[in-house]
Amino acid sequence: MSKVTISEFIISVIELIEAQIKEVESSFVSSAKGLMIKLFSLSLLVLASVFFFIGIKVWIESYLGEIFAYFITALIVFILALLVSKVASWKIEQKR
């Protein structure tokens, strides 16, 4: 039976800790990259939505005037936000 010295045990523990730290760091970096991609795509989605609703407002304005165009565009945005909120809460309830 081979005896393990205290120094060999300490070195093994330190090597194990080092390997775990590298694995956690790699996982963190990949998670951070994924988060950055999602944040970038979300900002593009918000920007596209703004231009889309500005386009709707300008289109409605050519038929009904500026004040009604603001009201109708706000109503459309409100209805879409309400719909997304309901779908999100429904999906959260399904996961439980």
Side-chain angles (χ1 to χ4, degrees):
M1 182 177 215
S2 155
K3 290 188 177 182
V4 177
T5 63
I6 293 178
S7 61
E8 290 174 341
F9 176 74
I10 292 173
I11 290 172
S12 296
V13 169
I14 290 174
E15 287 176 351
L16 177 64
I17 292 171
E18 181 183 7
Q20 290 297 320
I21 288 173
K22 286 182 181 180
E23 186 176 331
V24 167
E25 181 183 10
S26 171
S27 174
F28 178 76
V29 168
S30 65
S31 295
K33 285 180 183 177
L35 181 63
M36 290 301 292
I37 290 171
K38 287 182 181 183
L39 286 175
F40 181 71
S41 64
L42 183 62
S43 64
L44 288 178
L45 179 66
V46 167
L47 186 64
S49 297
V50 167
F51 281 112
F52 177 75
F53 291 120
I54 288 173
I56 287 176
K57 183 244 174 212
V58 169
W59 180 62
I60 293 172
E61 188 176 325
S62 66
Y63 292 105
L64 299 176
E66 186 177 6
I67 300 297
F68 285 119
Y70 279 116
F71 281 124
I72 292 173
T73 306
L75 182 65
I76 292 170
V77 172
F78 178 74
I79 290 171
L80 284 174
L82 187 64
L83 184 73
V84 168
S85 172
K86 290 295 182 185
V87 168
S89 64
W90 177 67
K91 292 294 271 185
I92 289 171
E93 287 296 321
Q94 274 191 339
K95 287 185 179 182
R96 290 183 186 172

